[in-house]
Structures are given as structure tokens and as C-alpha cells.
Amino acid sequence: MDLAYIPSPSTGVIHLGPIPLRGYAFCIIIGVFVAVWYGNRRWIARGGTAGTVADIAVWAVPFGLVGGRLYHVITDYQLYFSEGENWVDAFKIWEGGLGIWGAIALGAVGAWIGCRRRGIPLPAYADAIAPGIALAQAIGRWGNWFNQELYGRPTDLPWALKITEGANREAGTYHPTFLYESLWCIGVALLVVWADRRFKLGHGRAFALYVAAYCAGRGWIEYMRVDEAHHVLGLRLNVWTAIVVFLLAVTYIVVSSRLRPGREEIVEPKAEKKAGEKEEKAEGSEKAGESDASADTESGTAPDAVDLGKDGKDVEHGAGKS
């Protein structure tokens, strides 16, 4: 009797003539678009202008991709620089291998540059895009499904992932850790959106909540994985990273809430300036209308003014009739 399982794609690449279309790359690209789209909606709701999130993402995304790849190559250097390995493979990002820790760290540097150029506080921007980043991760993890990588221990559960024979992998059914993390990231996004509405999180605390919640899930999901990794005191390196980053994020939430309670009133000075100019124009138009009406009344030339003559007939002022 065959067990139920999640099938893996026979290939992660579809060739459109000479052009290879890779599932991993598509998942990353779609995730970025979702993050920017949703981040833009949240930014406008907080008082920012449309397009600002995308403008800053032009800096953040490339930095994030480089950071994610650097973290992966540094922590798994044996895959590229050991005897018999080809170091050129370190640049083949389409084959998989992006470390979220490096992506967020260096992506934050790119976002800081973009925010600084526009005079925007980075914490406010980070709060706006936090749920979008979680959703981008949820979509991006499906790239691992296309590449048949980052799965967990063998299992015969109905939702087991079927892996086919290939380089550095054995055929069998395994825990679909990519799916676990994808679902967890969706939950993280919903948690941040709810908490942000309920507690009016500001000054980077929504982003810190995203980081803490993601690390809590990544810790146990990472523990289930069976791919090669460095170990420290019996735990995978990424488990320790998740623990340390979780503690830092929680500490930031506590300290920040005491030092800077509440939420920023102004997140984008440019948007505030435009709003002020519109209000001034509207007030000027109202005052001009009031002045015209007052002048008409004082001069007695109101077009609808009607009076009665001595003989009881209507007399239209200013019309030359009696």
C-alpha cells in the first residue's frame, strides 16, 4: 500500500528556448514583489507617500541578496572551497543557498541608505515592511521545494515530502521543513499585523516582533533538518543564531517600549509637507469665497435680492425696472 506524500517536481528548471526559467528564482522574485506591495500599503496607512517603499527597496533588495549569499557561503564554505569542489559555484545563487540572517542584516544596511537619502527614520520603515518580509519568506521557501533541498528527517506521515535520488541526497520521504517554515512565516505575518493594530507598535517594535517570532519557529524547524551543517555544543549553528537573535529582538522590544513608548506621529516629512500645503490651499480657497460673498452683501448687489415697491409690485435691484 502506497503512503500519501507530497511529490517533488521532477525538475526545478523549465527551458524557454535557450532561456532557463528557474522555480527558485521565481519564488524569490514573487516574494519581493509581495513584500513591496504590502509594505507600500502599510506605509501609506501610516502617513507615508506611495512609491517610497519601492524606492528604498531598490537599495535594500540587492544588499539583502548579497548578504544572504555571503552568510550561506561563509557558514557552508566546505561546499565551495573544500578539495574537489569548484569555488565558482559560490556565485550560482540560482542553485539555492540564501541565509536569511545575512539577508536581513545587509538588507537593513541598504534600507538605511535609502531611508537616509529620503530623510525617513529606518525603524518606521522597518515596522511597515515587517509583515511583508515574512510573507516573502513564506513564498521564497517554495524555491527549496523546486530544488529538493532543506528537508527534514525521514517520516511516513501523510504530508511527507518525497525526494528523488540525486546529488547529495537519497530517495525517500522526509519532513517537509520548507513547508513548515512557509506556514510559520504566514503565521508570523498575521501576528505582527494583529499586534501592530492592537498595541500601535512603533519605533521598530513591529519589526522586532517579526524577528523574535520568526526565530522562535526557525529554532525547532532547523533542529529537524538533516542537511549538512556546522554544529556548536551539539546544536546546529543556525539554531544558536536563532536563539541569540531572538533574545536580542525581545530585549529591543522591552527597552524600546520604555524609552520611546507609542508610535511615530510623522514617518515621512515629505508627505507631511505636502499635506500641509494642501490644507493651506484649501483654507485659502475658503477664505477667498467668504470674502467674495461678504463683498456682494455689503455692496447690495446680490443677484437674488428682491424688494416690494409702493404699489406692491416686485422691484429687482440693479435691474433698471420699476
Side-chain angles (χ1 to χ4, degrees):
M1 172 177 163
D2 292 333
L3 297 174
Y5 58 81
I6 300 173
S8 289
S10 58
T11 179
V13 185
I14 299 176
H15 290 275
L16 187 62
I19 303 175
L21 305 178
R22 302 181 182 277
Y24 185 88
F26 269 112
C27 290
I28 297 297
I29 293 171
I30 294 172
V32 169
F33 273 105
V34 169
V36 172
W37 168 77
Y38 190 49
N40 183 65
R41 290 187 58 184
R42 284 175 53 82
W43 184 251
I44 294 173
R46 293 195 61 176
T49 58
T52 296
V53 170
D55 290 344
I56 296 176
V58 170
W59 290 90
V61 172
F63 272 73
L65 290 175
V66 172
R69 188 60 176 178
L70 281 175
Y71 181 89
H72 167 73
V73 173
I74 292 173
T75 56
D76 291 311
Y77 62 86
Q78 73 281 355
L79 300 177
Y80 309 100
F81 302 105
S82 299
E83 185 177 353
E85 302 293 345
N86 187 358
W87 63 271
V88 176
D89 292 342
F91 297 95
K92 296 180 180 179
I93 192 172
W94 56 86
E95 293 183 355
L98 287 175
I100 186 61
W101 317 110
I104 294 297
L106 209 55
V109 174
W112 175 79
I113 294 174
C115 287
R116 186 176 178 82
R117 289 168 60 89
R118 297 181 69 97
I120 293 171
L122 177 61
Y125 179 81
D127 284 341
I129 65 172
I133 294 177
L135 292 176
Q137 287 178 253
I139 297 171
R141 271 306 177 201
W142 283 86
N144 302 131
W145 176 65
F146 281 102
N147 287 352
Q148 296 195 50
E149 60 186 0
L150 306 188
Y151 45 85
R153 294 188 292 268
T155 182
D156 57 0
L157 291 170
W159 57 84
L161 175 66
K162 185 175 183 180
I163 297 295
T164 59
E165 189 73 26
N168 301 319
R169 66 173 187 254
E170 296 181 3
T173 54
Y174 301 85
H175 278 284
T177 49
F178 85 90
L179 178 60
Y180 298 161
E181 187 168 338
S182 179
L183 295 175
W184 183 269
C185 286
I186 292 174
V188 170
L190 295 175
L191 171 65
V192 174
V193 170
W194 171 81
D196 195 26
R197 292 176 178 175
R198 175 67 176 79
F199 302 105
K200 303 295 182 183
L201 301 176
H203 302 287
R205 288 188 287 276
F207 183 81
L209 176 61
Y210 144 71
V211 172
Y214 171 74
C215 289
R218 179 61 184 269
W220 67 266
I221 294 172
E222 182 74 23
Y223 187 74
M224 296 178 65
R225 283 168 44 174
V226 294
D227 53 297
E228 186 177 355
H230 294 288
H231 287 72
V232 178
L233 299 177
L235 291 179
R236 293 167 65 96
L237 177 60
N238 281 333
V239 174
W240 283 111
T241 303
I243 293 173
V244 172
V245 176
F246 171 83
L247 294 175
L248 290 175
V250 171
T251 300
Y252 179 87
I253 293 173
V254 174
V255 175
S256 175
S257 62
R258 292 179 180 177
L259 296 179
R260 307 185 71 182
R263 176 185 284 180
E264 301 92 338
E265 294 183 1
I266 299 175
V267 297
E268 190 169 0
K270 180 181 177 181
E272 190 71 14
K273 183 179 179 181
K274 285 185 177 180
E277 291 176 352
K278 288 182 179 180
E279 290 180 359
E280 289 179 0
K281 288 182 180 179
E283 291 177 359
S285 299
E286 291 178 359
K287 289 181 179 179
E290 292 175 358
S291 298
D292 292 342
S294 177
D296 289 342
T297 302
E298 291 177 0
S299 61
T301 58
D304 293 334
V306 178
D307 197 1
L308 294 176
K310 291 182 180 180
D311 56 357
K313 294 182 179 180
D314 292 344
V315 178
E316 296 184 9
H317 295 287
K321 295 180 181 180
S322 62

